[in-house]
Amino acid sequence: MSLLIDADYIVYKCCAACETEIDYGEDVIVVTSRFSEAYNMALNELYNIANNLGCFDDSILFFSDSSNFRKRLDPTYKGHRNRKKPCGYKRVINKLKEDFPVVVMPNLEADDAIGIYATKEEGHIICSPDKDMRQIPGELYDLSNEVTLITAEQGNRWHLVQTMAGDQTDGYAGVPSIGVKRAEALLDSKGCSWKTVVEAFAEKDLDEDHALLNARLAKILQVNDYDFTNQEVRLWTPPSGAGAEDGATVQTEAN
């Protein structure tokens, strides 16, 4: 059993916390940080995770690649995130790569790499505060509470919820005026199916193609969603039959 850790989040948080502004007056303000302070803070975060969870074989750190397949689906994806990384971000990552097993998969975010790894071999614990990881079956530690067991059915349902609710942080809108609670209520009352999702978009005069784009942006990849030989994503495709319960077939992403 390994701990699959969203290290993007940890390094960003630690480096940002260690930044200091120096105001030289007039028109000069400089942001500085100490590498040793940021790195030791990251190590302490990793130690606390391991200590809280107890017995495990290893901690594997996951980082996002510099390119992202979702940008090819929607160029505006995460387009509002234009703030530069905090001081020392790349240096801390490079040092962690020397000291820990690290996974970076081409064109994938850390979330997707974790999802693929977690579903390729059972028994690992995902360590991430990101609610997106509730799509992945298995054990999830959100860095604050106890470990939660996510079933495949719960993961599929959460994917449909996020498709309708959207994610302003990631830059996809979902169905206008529908949040998480409303999306969950629709699945409860109308059935946990792609048909329910399509109907919710249709009520806002948005077609199924629009719903499908949101579903693909929302989808956290699992092992069957990735072609390891060609290093290509297999895009999520809704189940056949408008009334089918949630499930998925896949198609390979076009280059």
Side-chain angles (χ1 to χ4, degrees):
M1 178 186 76
S2 297
L3 305 182
L4 313 182
I5 300 177
D6 179 357
D8 275 347
Y9 166 79
I10 289 173
V11 173
Y12 191 100
K13 181 181 77 168
C14 292
C15 288
C18 291
E19 286 186 335
T20 301
E21 283 190 1
I22 301 176
D23 189 343
Y24 287 99
E26 305 243 343
D27 200 31
V28 180
I29 300 174
V30 176
V31 178
T32 67
S33 69
R34 292 182 180 274
F35 165 74
S36 58
E37 183 181 354
Y39 185 69
N40 287 333
M41 183 178 290
L43 287 180
N44 189 57
E45 290 281 337
L46 295 172
Y47 171 78
N48 286 339
I49 292 172
N51 188 56
N52 289 341
L53 294 177
C55 183
F56 61 95
D57 297 323
D58 210 344
S59 293
I60 303 175
L61 311 187
F62 290 78
F63 292 101
S64 298
D65 190 26
S66 57
S67 60
N68 185 336
F69 80 94
R70 290 181 178 84
K71 288 281 190 180
R72 295 199 289 272
L73 298 177
D74 181 1
T76 68
Y77 180 76
K78 289 189 175 178
H80 61 291
R81 292 192 182 185
N82 52 13
R83 183 186 185 278
K84 75 174 185 67
K85 294 293 192 292
C87 288
Y89 183 80
K90 290 185 178 179
R91 186 174 172 186
V92 169
I93 289 176
N94 289 335
K95 177 59 176 170
L96 288 172
K97 288 180 178 179
E98 297 176 5
D99 298 337
F100 291 86
V102 166
V103 173
V104 181
M105 296 182 67
N107 299 314
L108 302 187
E109 298 180 62
D111 291 353
D112 298 304
I114 291 173
I116 290 169
Y117 201 103
T119 51
K120 184 177 182 181
E121 181 183 70
E122 295 182 356
H124 303 300
I125 300 177
I126 294 174
C127 305
S128 172
D130 195 331
K131 64 183 184 300
D132 294 349
M133 303 314 297
R134 290 168 57 185
Q135 293 183 28
I136 305 302
E139 293 185 297
L140 172 63
Y141 176 60
D142 69 1
L143 308 189
S144 62
N145 298 318
E146 296 180 357
V147 174
T148 301
L149 179 63
I150 308 294
T151 66
E153 291 75 15
Q154 288 170 333
N156 289 335
R157 175 187 170 88
W158 186 246
H159 172 230
L160 297 185
V161 167
Q162 290 192 292
T163 298
M164 289 188 284
D167 190 328
Q168 296 303 317
T169 301
D170 287 342
Y172 63 95
V175 181
S177 77
I178 288 185
V180 169
K181 290 185 178 179
R182 175 60 179 157
E184 290 181 323
L186 285 173
L187 295 179
D188 287 339
S189 62
K190 296 187 175 182
C192 187
S193 69
W194 179 242
K195 180 175 181 289
T196 298
V197 174
V198 172
E199 288 176 350
F201 277 89
E203 287 182 2
K204 299 296 182 178
D205 296 322
L206 298 171
D207 62 19
E208 186 169 359
D209 285 343
H210 196 94
L212 183 58
L213 175 60
N214 277 266
R216 288 174 168 174
L217 294 174
K219 176 67 174 176
I220 302 300
L221 303 183
Q222 300 183 31
V223 66
N224 291 331
D225 303 318
Y226 192 72
D227 178 349
F228 288 89
T229 301
N230 298 309
Q231 295 187 334
E232 291 181 338
V233 173
R234 296 181 176 126
L235 296 175
W236 186 87
T237 302
S240 59
E245 291 302 308
D246 182 51
T249 55
V250 292
Q251 67 183 48
T252 302
E253 178 189 6
N255 290 324

